[in-house]
Amino acid sequence: MQAITSLTSAFPRSEALVEATRDLDRGRTTPEAVQELYLRTEAEVARLEERLGLQPRTGGYLRWQDLFRPFAESWEGFTVGPLTRWFETNQFYRQPILHAPPARVAGAIASWLPLPPGASGPRKAILPGPYTFAGLLDNRSGETSEALTHRLGRLLAEEVQELRAAGYSAFQFQEPLLVYRPPEGARAEAVVAAYQALTTAAGGGTVAVWTYFGDAQNVWPLLNRLPVSLVGVDLSETDALALAPAPERRGLGLGVIDPRTSLVEDPAEVVRLARSIAERHHPTTLWIGSGAPLDLLPWEPATRKLHGLPAVRQGIDAASGAR
Amino acid sequence: MTDRLFPTQEIGSLMKPRWQLLGQRGEALDEAARADFVHWNDLLHFVPSDDPTLQKFLGDRSREVGAETVRDWAALFLLRYLEATGLDRVYDGEARRIEMYEYPVRQMKGFQFLGHVRSFDNKYYLKAAGTGEVRLDRPYHVEEFEFVRDHARAVPKLPITGPYTLADWSYNEYYLRRHEGWKGREVRRRAQRDFVVEIARQAIRPTLAALIEQGCRVIQIDEPAAGTHPQEAELVAEGFNAATDGLDAEFSMHICFSDYRPLFPALLEAKRCTQWAWEFANRDTDGRDGYEVLNLFREYGDTRQIGLGVLDPHRDEVESPERVKDRILRAVKILEDPRRIWVNPDCGLRTRRLEIAYAKLQNMDRGAKLARAEVAGTAG
């Protein structure tokens, strides 16, 4: 079993970026100056990932105003809607409003990805999962939610193909809604079909489904049916030892960092728990990251929490005999 | 307090006038800020026109006036502004406050600010962690209340952030660390209870006691986070009860922009709450009855007062008096007791320009009058 530590969400903006983006809104700085700071800060996140052995690289997604905004602003069929609470947090997203069946615009999403083309090492794209995307937008398109989930899966699959060509080898889909409001019946089947399209498009690349803000127990049978490389669960919400063993030849993601508290997790305790979970599920790969998005924390505490991950990785590797 | 039906009240903060912001920073007033001050002072007379300090402020010596004086003028301005719209219960538009989280937390021991967290887009708030036992440095809002008490012509109603919201908007380290082992859901729930109750007992209650000692009789406890984790509604109530334990005043609970249904019936255990002051107008749109949720009070047999939100604070559109009246009468029909209804905006009108907020509040007063007349006519 291979243990991989990874950024599994957007990273918080630095205090300098907080100040700069506020200044931008108040007309006290220029878009060019903020853009320059984004580039420098993304490079800083990439260096942090390298230093801590977090892979594949992400660059932190600092420019994304929320998980859906690049899509709502660049794909056809959408407008950007009202502020809406982001699950049970004090954060809000602007709900995309879908007025017609959506259509992607070539190159648009790639331009939002933070890593420059020349960045070294394998790269991971973190994108909204089709079920969460379909479920959280305001659907005025006339399509059923099942058809929309399936359609978004196909459109995201086209993005995956484009990103593969740009050098991305891993694709993580954020699916908090899968565990917060599990699908049933035809909607569940639409989720399976959407992930079939995504896995086909990935062409042997890693496809991960990342769940948080809910207990994966509620939807574990469906998660096990998804044709993906690995499924991630939030250990703050899910007792992974109580889950039925995962399917063979599949990876498991463990959200061991809880960004709802600034209290730093004890690496030894994480290793103990991760080992027990691995013994139960026998995953081919174990991804270790945050459960809920790290940008629920400010920059400094988020960084402090990530610094525990190398010790976690080493502890798991030592236990499994990997070198 | 008032015997008439559908008494009216403010609910939260108002936009700070530009002259206040410039004056507090010691910057010279520009022409627009000066004109704005003159306009409102002509209307409300909150600073005597022969006050020599006023002459300095409006002349080319505004920098000499000082931040404290400007703050007092702003508080007095917004107090008179609210009174002029006919409200029965008023405050100072929270003229001295910047926000509702950082200031109270800074009056307490046991917290450490960690940095900014994004609320949305390029909007952030400074977030603290509870790193030690919660203790109060000194009761807060007291001087602010004394100023309002000394100047108000209507009944003052003080808003204060509630313990659940302060805990929810903070990280819980100290009380979580006291629980050993993996910090799963059940551990987090217990630690959060400790955090909320300690904030309530150690910080909010002594502050409320100090305010009551100074004559504060009507207190609105703001719990905007109450709807964030519906399964914790019981904890919102427990925090409310701990904060108000043994205190003698009228306490209301303000909640807004939440799904109320999951809060029932657990929230109703807030036994010292005499009024639920909630947002309704925002959800009352064409084709959707925003007041239907009032049925929950009937369903659960709760007969306390309702602070009925009738103005949408996020829209410039000024609700007509007839629309306000209709909303009040809709609530009467559901609650079947007009005496339970207070009328207020959904939430603070701080995002609306002062002229817009004023027009909205005036129409709220007119709408309440129309509703009174209609109920009286029906009764007659």
Side-chain angles (χ1 to χ4, degrees):
Chain A
M1 182 193 69
Q2 186 186 15
I4 291 174
T5 44
S6 184
L7 264 190
T8 49
S9 70
F11 199 68
R13 289 178 179 167
S14 65
E15 292 296 325
L17 260 177
V18 167
E19 197 176 332
T21 49
R22 276 177 159 172
D23 283 349
L24 183 65
D25 282 1
R26 293 168 184 162
R28 294 178 187 162
T29 188
T30 63
E32 293 74 22
V34 176
Q35 182 65 15
E36 174 60 30
L37 187 58
Y38 271 128
L39 290 171
R40 285 208 310 271
T41 316
E42 284 161 1
E44 195 176 336
V45 174
R47 281 196 299 277
L48 180 71
E49 290 183 286
E50 188 169 353
R51 200 165 62 242
L52 299 180
L54 308 182
Q55 58 170 322
R57 306 270 187 270
T58 71
Y61 289 71
L62 307 174
R63 273 179 281 190
W64 288 40
Q65 297 289 39
D66 57 55
L67 184 61
F68 309 118
R69 194 71 58 81
F71 297 87
E73 288 183 348
S74 63
W75 277 12
E76 291 172 4
F78 287 99
T79 55
V80 177
L83 285 177
T84 307
R85 189 178 291 279
W86 179 237
F87 293 90
E88 296 182 10
T89 73
N90 197 29
Q91 289 188 343
F92 298 82
Y93 68 101
R94 291 199 184 273
Q95 188 180 37
I97 302 174
L98 185 63
H99 300 273
R104 64 181 289 274
V105 174
I109 297 305
S111 72
W112 278 93
L113 296 190
L115 283 172
S120 64
R123 292 183 222 164
K124 176 170 75 171
I126 301 177
L127 303 168
Y131 177 70
T132 296
F133 197 176
L136 295 187
L137 57 75
D138 180 356
N139 181 11
R140 302 178 189 175
S141 69
E143 277 198 307
T144 64
S145 61
E146 293 81 21
L148 184 59
T149 302
H150 200 173
R151 183 190 290 275
L152 287 171
R154 293 197 304 272
L155 294 172
L156 287 163
E158 291 176 30
E159 293 293 349
V160 165
Q161 284 177 327
E162 189 174 289
L163 292 171
R164 270 179 64 204
Y168 283 80
S169 58
F171 306 91
Q172 179 186 315
F173 294 93
Q174 304 295 72
E175 286 283 23
L177 198 63
L178 268 181
V179 287
Y180 192 81
R181 197 195 306 152
E184 292 176 352
R187 293 198 76 182
E189 296 312 311
V191 175
V192 176
Y195 277 97
Q196 186 61 61
L198 290 166
T199 295
T200 303
T206 303
V207 174
V209 172
W210 207 256
T211 66
Y212 45 92
F213 293 147
D215 188 348
Q217 179 82 57
N218 303 331
V219 70
W220 192 237
L222 173 64
L223 290 171
N224 284 337
R225 286 181 57 210
L226 298 182
V228 296
S229 318
L230 69 90
V231 168
V233 299
D234 180 355
L235 293 189
S236 300
E237 299 284 346
T238 299
D239 178 0
L241 292 171
L243 297 173
E248 285 182 15
R249 294 187 299 281
R250 198 163 85 171
L252 184 63
L254 300 182
V256 301
I257 292 176
D258 181 5
R260 284 157 289 208
T261 172
S262 47
L263 194 63
V264 177
E265 290 74 15
D266 173 10
E269 193 172 21
V270 172
V271 169
R272 272 197 302 276
L273 181 60
R275 283 171 55 185
S276 303
I277 294 169
E279 281 168 16
R280 177 167 180 77
H281 294 282
H282 302 292
T284 52
T285 308
L286 202 57
W287 273 21
I288 306 287
S290 68
L294 264 184
D295 65 356
L296 292 171
L297 288 161
W299 170 279
E300 197 279 328
T303 306
R304 203 164 0 119
K305 285 196 168 218
L306 283 181
H307 272 84
L309 288 186
V312 170
R313 185 178 61 246
Q314 286 156 15
I316 295 170
D317 281 350
S320 62
R323 293 292 181 269
Chain B
M1 297 278 183
T2 173
D3 292 331
R4 64 178 182 171
L5 285 179
F6 314 129
T8 54
Q9 59 184 355
E10 63 81 43
I11 207 79
S13 57
L14 293 168
M15 183 176 280
K16 290 178 175 50
R18 184 170 159 71
W19 55 261
Q20 179 189 359
L21 301 174
L22 292 171
Q24 284 178 186
R25 291 201 296 259
E27 294 178 21
L29 296 194
D30 54 33
E31 202 48 51
R34 191 175 291 114
D36 185 54
F37 186 100
V38 170
H39 163 74
W40 285 109
N41 202 33
D42 284 350
L43 190 69
L44 303 172
H45 311 293
F46 53 94
V47 183
S49 54
D50 57 353
D51 184 331
T53 314
L54 178 63
Q55 303 313 317
K56 275 189 199 172
F57 190 60
L58 295 178
D60 53 7
R61 296 164 67 194
S62 57
R63 290 189 185 89
E64 297 173 23
V65 170
E68 272 312 304
T69 299
V70 173
R71 252 183 230 113
D72 283 352
W73 285 352
L76 201 49
F77 159 48
L78 294 178
L79 184 60
R80 295 287 175 260
Y81 170 106
L82 292 170
E83 287 170 343
T85 62
L87 298 184
D88 294 286
R89 285 178 177 173
V90 296
Y91 205 59
D92 67 354
E94 302 181 21
R96 299 171 197 275
R97 305 185 192 180
I98 307 296
E99 43 67 62
M100 61 186 296
Y101 169 75
E102 184 181 338
Y103 178 77
V105 167
R106 287 202 186 280
Q107 313 311 311
M108 299 173 199
K109 290 188 174 78
F111 285 87
Q112 187 184 342
F113 281 93
L114 298 183
H116 287 91
V117 174
R118 184 155 48 156
S119 177
F120 62 93
D121 294 359
N122 297 336
K123 308 292 183 206
Y124 311 86
Y125 71 103
L126 194 57
K127 190 160 175 173
T131 54
E133 285 191 337
V134 176
R135 292 291 180 268
L136 185 64
D137 261 341
R138 68 183 189 106
Y140 50 96
H141 297 333
V142 177
E143 288 159 15
E144 170 194 282
F145 171 74
E146 288 170 340
F147 184 90
V148 174
R149 178 198 64 195
D150 293 346
H151 292 88
R153 294 163 184 161
V155 176
K157 175 168 78 72
L158 177 130
I160 185 168
T161 311
Y164 181 82
T165 294
L166 291 177
D168 186 63
W169 291 0
S170 305
Y171 300 111
N172 182 357
E173 287 194 16
Y174 178 76
Y175 297 96
L176 199 54
R177 194 182 285 122
R178 295 200 308 189
H179 296 268
E180 292 194 348
W182 188 251
K183 311 295 191 276
R185 266 182 304 176
E186 183 53 28
V187 168
R188 286 207 315 276
R189 194 190 64 76
R190 278 186 275 136
Q192 196 66 358
R193 181 199 171 273
D194 295 342
F195 197 22
V196 171
V197 171
E198 282 299 280
I199 291 173
R201 283 188 187 143
Q202 302 295 338
I204 309 284
R205 190 187 176 284
T207 294
L208 295 179
L211 286 160
I212 292 168
E213 178 76 21
Q214 291 308 314
C216 191
R217 300 296 311 149
V218 185
I219 297 171
Q220 170 181 301
I221 296 185
D222 292 324
E223 290 287 17
T228 311
H229 311 279
Q231 71 280 10
E232 291 183 357
E234 186 184 312
L235 185 49
V236 180
E238 189 174 355
F240 193 98
N241 290 338
T244 55
D245 187 22
L247 299 178
D248 181 21
E250 279 185 56
F251 295 107
S252 62
M253 189 191 298
H254 173 55
I255 304 177
C256 50
F257 310 111
S258 300
D259 181 4
Y260 303 131
R261 185 166 290 277
L263 304 179
F264 284 78
L267 191 69
L268 303 180
E269 291 305 310
K271 295 299 183 195
R272 281 183 202 83
C273 177
T274 56
Q275 182 186 106
W276 308 106
W278 294 1
E279 153 265 328
F280 298 99
N282 166 69
R283 62 190 75 202
D284 189 46
T285 55
D286 291 339
R288 183 180 174 198
D289 178 4
Y291 297 85
E292 179 271 338
V293 71
L294 287 168
N295 281 303
L296 287 167
F297 291 101
R298 282 187 58 185
E299 198 176 309
Y300 288 98
D302 191 278
T303 57
R304 283 175 267 193
Q305 293 175 357
I306 300 295
L308 191 74
V310 296
L311 302 180
D312 184 345
H314 293 143
R315 292 161 64 95
D316 272 346
E317 177 197 343
V318 177
E319 292 82 354
S320 68
E322 288 73 23
R323 182 142 207 201
V324 170
K325 178 202 74 176
D326 289 346
R327 286 174 167 167
I328 296 170
L329 295 181
R330 171 79 183 121
V332 171
K333 192 171 176 186
I334 296 172
L335 298 171
E336 296 178 332
D337 183 358
R339 291 167 304 172
R340 288 173 58 194
I341 298 171
W342 282 73
V343 179
N344 45 255
D346 269 357
C347 188
L349 291 162
R350 70 182 298 174
T351 57
R352 295 306 97 197
R353 285 181 291 118
L354 285 167
E355 311 86 80
I356 299 283
Y358 197 70
K360 279 176 173 265
L361 289 166
Q362 283 182 313
N363 276 4
M364 187 173 89
D365 182 57
R366 291 175 187 130
K369 285 189 176 103
L370 292 177
R372 270 176 223 129
E374 189 146 329
V375 170
T378 310

